[in-house]
């Protein structure tokens, strides 16, 4: 018998999921590399194990496509919640999931016994430059001038457990991200490199963005990136705190809220693609 798996995605961010309550995985890092290969494997951004937890309803153990262990994935954790509910691991509309970066609380939207949307508390936005980290003084880095390749940008930097630089501009579809993205990622201001969101504001409840992820290039979805973009939109006066903002990304739409206590809620879809067995 092989290992049963389910492939799922959140706004195009796809992982192979294995129920570790029932399946035994010997070398998860090696398996992650194998299943992630889009030519010779299942094809995914990584592997996620859904396992028992001593502190929450279940535990998410995630591996990137290169076999390294990740701390948290906003798109991935929504799919964990959907799987846990639909497979009877947890039969509640509000559940807790343990991750490497702490326990996250999630609220499920259930229709006809299927989970369609999941809202997750992504934790507090960090604005202090030393904690993001960026090489700058002060309490925050909001609407600050940043020169990249001779061009001046207005930048706002936020950490959502990982570092983000948000740039507001028009014409993001015309942006040559393959050229511009690496210049931001490797800029001297960012000691650990940076994820960069290029954001176009449509109205006070709607923004569009493209994202360049450090180490990955342009991706069609980044959950922490949409959270950072909404925080920056509020701090720059484009959107309002406490109200849900629609974020249009290449993989679909996410709905984020920047709360008064600095926590960010992210609501989005979770979709099952197919199931199979690994030999």
């Amino acid at each position: 018998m092989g290992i049963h798996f389910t492939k799922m995605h959140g706004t195009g961010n796809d992982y192979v999921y294995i129920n570790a309550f029932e399946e035994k995985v010997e070398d998860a890092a090696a398996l992650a590399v194998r299943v992630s290969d889009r030519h010779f494997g299942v094809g995914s951004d990584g592997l996620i194990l859904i396992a028992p937890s001593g502190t929450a309803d279940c535990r998410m153990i995630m591996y990137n496509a290169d076999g390294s262990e990740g701390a948290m994935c906003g798109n991935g954790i929504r799919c964990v919640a959907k799987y846990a509910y639909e497979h009877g691991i947890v039969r509640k509309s509000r559940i807790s999931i343990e991750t490497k970066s702490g326990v996250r609380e999630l609220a499920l939207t259930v229709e006809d016994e299927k989970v369609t949307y999941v809202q997750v508390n992504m934790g507090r936005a960090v604005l202090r430059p030393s904690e993001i980290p960026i090489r700058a003084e002060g309490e925050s880095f909001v609407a600050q001038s940043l020169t990249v390749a001779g061009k001046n940008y207005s930048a706002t930097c936020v950490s959502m457990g990982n570092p983000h630089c948000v740039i507001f501009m028009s014409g993001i579809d015309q942006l040559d991200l393959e050229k511009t993205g690496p210049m931001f990622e490797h800029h001297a201001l960012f000691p650990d490199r940076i994820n960069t969101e290029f954001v176009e504001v449509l109205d006070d409840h709607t923004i569009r963005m493209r994202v360049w992820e450090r180490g990955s290039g342009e991706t069609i979805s980044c959950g922490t990136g949409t959270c950072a973009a909404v925080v920056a939109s509020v701090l720059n006066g484009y959107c309002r705190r406490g109200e849900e903002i629609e974020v249009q990304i290449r993989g679909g739409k996410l709905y984020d809220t920047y709360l008064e206590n600095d926590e960010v809620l992210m609501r989005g879809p979770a979709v099952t693609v197919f199931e199979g067995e690994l030999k």
Side-chain angles (χ1 to χ4, degrees), residues 8-190:
M8 307 175 79
H9 80 85
T11 55
N13 197 182
D14 60 341
Y15 287 86
V16 169
Y17 293 79
I18 293 175
N19 183 347
F21 284 83
E22 299 176 353
E23 304 283 354
K24 187 170 177 61
V25 177
E26 297 292 347
D27 187 345
L31 185 61
V33 174
R34 187 180 132 208
V35 300
S36 298
D37 192 295
R38 295 192 183 276
H39 297 287
F40 299 102
V42 178
S44 68
D45 290 327
L47 172 72
I48 291 179
L49 305 182
I50 303 166
S53 168
T55 58
D57 291 314
C58 61
R59 181 178 169 212
M60 173 174 107
I61 309 169
M62 67 167 290
Y63 293 87
N64 299 312
D66 64 359
S68 61
E69 190 173 351
M72 168 63 182
C73 172
N75 289 313
I77 200 172
R78 295 200 311 277
C79 293
V80 171
K82 176 182 174 71
Y83 186 101
Y85 183 91
E86 293 180 3
H87 289 79
I89 295 171
V90 187
R91 293 296 282 180
K92 302 181 292 184
S93 61
R94 300 190 77 86
I95 71 172
S96 59
I97 297 176
E98 178 189 352
T99 76
K100 203 175 180 184
S101 61
V103 174
R104 294 288 188 265
E105 303 294 330
L106 301 97
L108 283 53
T109 301
V110 182
E111 298 171 11
D112 298 325
E113 292 302 300
K114 297 292 184 185
V115 175
T116 52
Y117 275 81
V118 178
Q119 184 179 74
V120 54
N121 188 323
M122 295 289 285
R124 293 192 171 193
V126 173
L127 302 178
R128 187 185 292 272
S130 61
E131 295 175 22
I132 294 174
I134 60 173
R135 293 187 174 98
E137 302 297 322
E139 295 297 307
S140 66
F141 194 90
V142 177
Q144 297 291 309
S145 179
L146 176 63
T147 302
V148 176
K151 187 174 179 181
N152 197 49
Y153 297 88
S154 176
T156 297
C157 294
V158 181
S159 172
M160 289 301 308
N162 53 1
H164 294 270
C165 175
V166 181
I167 305 294
F168 292 97
M169 62 185 297
S170 58
I172 60 172
D173 291 331
Q174 285 71 52
L175 188 64
D176 184 355
L177 212 50
E178 289 293 325
K179 180 181 176 184
T180 307
M183 295 179 180
F184 278 89
E185 179 180 350
H186 298 284
H187 193 281
L189 186 67
F190 310 121

Side-chain angles (χ1 to χ4, degrees), residues 210-229:
R210 290 174 67 187
V211 56
W212 181 270
E213 290 195 59
R214 58 177 179 172
S216 297
E218 182 172 16
T219 58
I220 63 172
S221 180
C222 177
T224 56
T226 67
C227 293

